[in-house]
Amino acid sequence: MARQDTEMLKGTLEGIVLAILSRRPAYGYEITASLRDRGFADIAEGTIYALLVRIEQRGCVDVEKVPSEKGPPRKVYTLNPRGREQLDDFWRTWEFLSERIGELRAPDDTPSREH
């Protein structure tokens, strides 16, 4: 992934993870795998775990420790009402930004002015 792509992704990754959790509860590796399945191949697991800690500290998810067949219990993250509010805010911001950026990308019919 190019540096510019990585920087843009950092600003949206939390919303993307909240969107994944809005579909169903998941643990860190499942979230990483889901992102990779969606084409985000270069995202490190550590990045996702750090993000999950932040959204847990902000009260956006409920966490349940579930026994694992291998190793220690897994933390399963479930989006809670506060997290849904954050996700709604993310989608509103995304729509606003994508509309504005789309306007900038569209060909402009007005003649340019020299200043």
Side-chain angles (χ1 to χ4, degrees), residues 57-70:
Q57 288 173 342
R58 288 202 339 260
C60 295
V61 291
D62 295 326
V63 180
E64 179 183 358
K65 289 192 177 187
V66 177
S68 171
E69 295 172 11
K70 307 174 198 172

Side-chain angles (χ1 to χ4, degrees), residues 20-50:
I20 289 170
L21 290 174
S22 74
R23 295 172 179 243
R24 69 177 185 85
Y27 57 95
Y29 180 78
E30 286 178 310
I31 295 167
T32 303
S34 179
L35 288 164
R36 289 181 178 156
D37 288 347
R38 289 174 166 81
F40 298 103
D42 294 339
I43 294 177
E45 257 182 270
T47 300
I48 300 305
Y49 285 108

Side-chain angles (χ1 to χ4, degrees), residues 4 7 9 12 18-19 28-29 38 40 53 60 62 65-66 68 71 79 84 91 93 99 102 104-106:
Q4 183 179 9
E7 292 301 314
L9 182 59
T12 58
L18 292 175
Y29 180 78
R38 289 174 166 81
F40 298 103
V53 167
C60 295
D62 295 326
K65 289 192 177 187
V66 177
S68 171
L79 197 64
R84 289 197 184 281
W91 287 130
T93 302
E99 286 175 13
L104 291 171
R105 188 173 188 195

